[in-house]
């Protein structure tokens, strides 16, 4: 009797990593961030985070702070991970450097999450993101899901300077969630088009990689050999248009009590590239 044909097995690990990363570069990347300076002393690089509810924007801000301060910190309020987005106001976060009187020369901005409630809320969100990118929104503005910020509002900044404007736009995506709905993809495409029109580079952060891929959770260094994560990165890149090399997988600090070298390495790798890309944007505008 002939042998029965073998069933194809689904490969969970790729034979080669889809991106090379030197895991021993943590100190090098940390030194890069610590040495980062802008030409003008009072200038700051503005990084705006946006994306669907529950993706982990605020947690990413806290994770960046944790890596740079060498301990788990919480500078941005976060909700229960199982619940939707917590941020309701436009908020700028500076990270202390060395002592309370000095800060890193970049600002991380958090804003209300994208929601798919209706076409009206999606359109209002796109308009608000564009106004934030142009520097028209002042800190403390409470977002209204039904309508965008008006010029008559006291939080509207009609004369933004270079530091008010966004230099790099970061789309934060939950790698463990279901595929994006068509409406959300179209909204993110609209935001990307607005960013391109303003000359602002865009990157994406894929969070919750440990939830998405159990093998990555067990061995973080194999994140770039995960077929599941690579498939999701490729799919998102095709849908929204952000190049694969501008999409960075990370694990945010959420329940940890102490920082971890491998988690730090991924966050620092992403932060370094965000700073480099944002600096190029600043020079060209």
């Amino acid at each position: 009797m002939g042998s029965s044909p073998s069933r194809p097995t689904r490969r969970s690990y790729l034979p080669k990593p889809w991106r090379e990363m030197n895991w021993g570069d943590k100190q090098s990347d940390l030194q890069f961030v610590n040495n980062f300076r802008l030409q003008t002393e009072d200038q700051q690089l503005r990084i705006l985070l946006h994306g669907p509810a529950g993706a982990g924007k605020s947690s990413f801000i806290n994770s960046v702070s944790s890596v740079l301060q060498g301990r788990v910190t919480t500078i941005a309020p976060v909700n229960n991970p199982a619940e939707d987005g917590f941020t309701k106001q436009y908020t700028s976060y500076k990270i202390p450097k060395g002592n309370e009187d000095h800060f890193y020369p970049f600002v991380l901005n958090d804003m209300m999450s994208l929601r798919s409630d209706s076409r009206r809320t999606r359109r209002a969100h796109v308009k608000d993101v564009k106004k934030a990118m142009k520097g028209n929104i002042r800190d403390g503005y409470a977002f209204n899901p039904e309508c965008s910020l008006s010029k008559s509002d006291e939080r509207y900044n009609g004369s933004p300077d270079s530091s008010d404007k966004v230099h790099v736009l970061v789309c934060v995506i939950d790698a463990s969630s279901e595929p994006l709905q068509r409406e959300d993809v179209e909204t993110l495409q609209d935001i990307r088009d607005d960013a391109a029109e303003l000359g602002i580079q865009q990157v994406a952060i894929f969070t919750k990689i440990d939830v998405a891929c159990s093998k990555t959770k067990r061995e973080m260094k194999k994140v770039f050999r995960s077929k599941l994560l690579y498939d999701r990165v490729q799919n998102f890149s095709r849908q929204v248009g952000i190049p694969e090399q501008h999409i960075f997988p990370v694990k945010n600090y959420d329940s940890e009590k102490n920082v971890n070298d491998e988690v730090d390495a991924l966050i620092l790798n992403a932060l370094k590239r965000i700073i480099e890309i944002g600096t190029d944007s600043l020079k060209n505008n």
Side-chain angles (χ1 to χ4, degrees):
M1 294 178 61
S3 60
S4 58
S6 59
R7 293 182 178 180
T9 58
R10 184 177 180 181
R11 190 189 299 272
S12 58
Y13 274 161
L14 298 171
K16 294 183 179 180
W18 47 274
R19 181 177 300 162
E20 295 295 337
M21 177 167 170
N22 186 344
W23 291 88
D25 269 357
K26 174 189 168 180
Q27 290 304 319
S28 175
D29 289 346
L30 182 58
Q31 185 175 7
F32 170 88
V33 178
N34 284 332
N35 292 341
F36 171 63
R37 301 284 188 279
L38 291 170
Q39 291 182 342
T40 307
E41 190 172 334
D42 60 348
Q43 195 173 38
Q44 54 193 7
L45 188 74
R46 190 169 296 276
I47 302 163
L48 175 61
L49 277 64
H50 78 106
K57 301 189 308 301
S58 301
S59 293
F60 180 69
I61 292 171
N62 289 332
S63 297
V64 168
S65 173
S66 298
V67 172
L68 296 181
Q69 298 193 59
R71 59 184 177 84
V72 175
T73 64
T74 303
I75 61 173
V78 293
N79 213 349
N80 185 308
E83 298 179 14
D84 280 345
F86 183 77
T87 304
K88 307 299 180 187
Q89 294 185 343
Y90 189 67
T91 310
S92 299
Y93 293 97
K94 295 181 179 181
I95 300 175
K97 184 179 182 182
N99 59 59
E100 294 182 359
D101 296 327
H102 293 82
F103 297 89
Y104 284 90
F106 57 83
V107 176
L108 295 160
N109 269 95
D110 203 359
M111 68 177 295
M112 191 178 203
S113 301
L114 164 64
R115 296 180 181 276
S116 304
D117 302 340
S118 67
R119 182 181 179 187
R120 182 175 180 176
T121 59
R122 293 193 299 273
R123 290 178 66 181
H125 183 79
V126 171
K127 291 179 180 178
D128 275 338
V129 174
K130 186 170 186 179
K131 287 171 182 172
M133 287 191 288
K134 293 169 69 176
N136 293 138
I137 301 182
R138 290 192 172 98
D139 256 39
Y141 169 65
F143 292 97
N144 182 345
E146 296 297 321
C147 63
S148 178
L149 171 68
S150 68
K151 291 184 178 180
S152 61
D153 194 292
E154 64 179 359
R155 298 290 183 179
Y156 183 87
N157 181 8
S159 303
D161 60 28
S162 177
S163 288
D164 295 323
K165 297 176 182 178
V166 170
H167 305 109
V168 59
L169 184 65
V170 179
C171 181
V172 183
I173 297 293
D174 178 356
S176 69
S177 65
E178 295 297 319
L180 292 170
Q181 298 180 25
R182 177 179 58 83
E183 294 85 356
D184 289 342
V185 170
E186 291 174 353
T187 301
L188 294 178
Q189 289 173 336
D190 289 342
I191 292 170
R192 174 165 168 74
D193 289 345
D194 286 341
E197 180 185 310
L198 295 170
I200 298 172
Q201 292 289 331
Q202 188 174 9
V203 305
I205 295 292
F206 267 41
T207 64
K208 305 182 184 180
I209 57 174
D210 55 321
V211 179
C213 179
S214 59
K215 291 186 176 181
T216 297
K217 181 177 182 178
R218 291 195 296 270
E219 193 170 357
M220 195 68 63
K221 287 184 178 181
K222 289 191 175 179
V223 57
F224 295 113
R225 288 187 57 198
S226 168
K227 185 178 186 303
L228 181 148
L229 290 173
Y230 186 42
D231 287 346
R232 293 187 181 182
V233 165
Q234 286 184 308
N235 186 51
F236 178 80
S237 178
R238 283 193 297 267
Q239 287 181 314
V240 179
I242 298 177
E244 287 180 28
Q245 65 267 30
H246 284 186
I247 301 175
F248 305 97
V250 303
K251 185 218 174 306
N252 286 332
Y253 286 111
D254 42 46
S255 60
E256 292 83 0
K257 294 182 179 179
N258 300 297
V259 293
N260 172 283
D261 281 345
E262 293 174 2
V263 173
D264 282 3
L266 287 172
I267 294 169
L268 280 169
N269 178 258
L271 179 62
K272 178 184 177 182
R273 289 296 297 130
I274 289 170
I275 290 173
E276 290 175 335
I277 291 166
T279 303
D280 290 341
S281 179
L282 181 61
K283 290 177 180 177
N284 295 328
N285 288 282

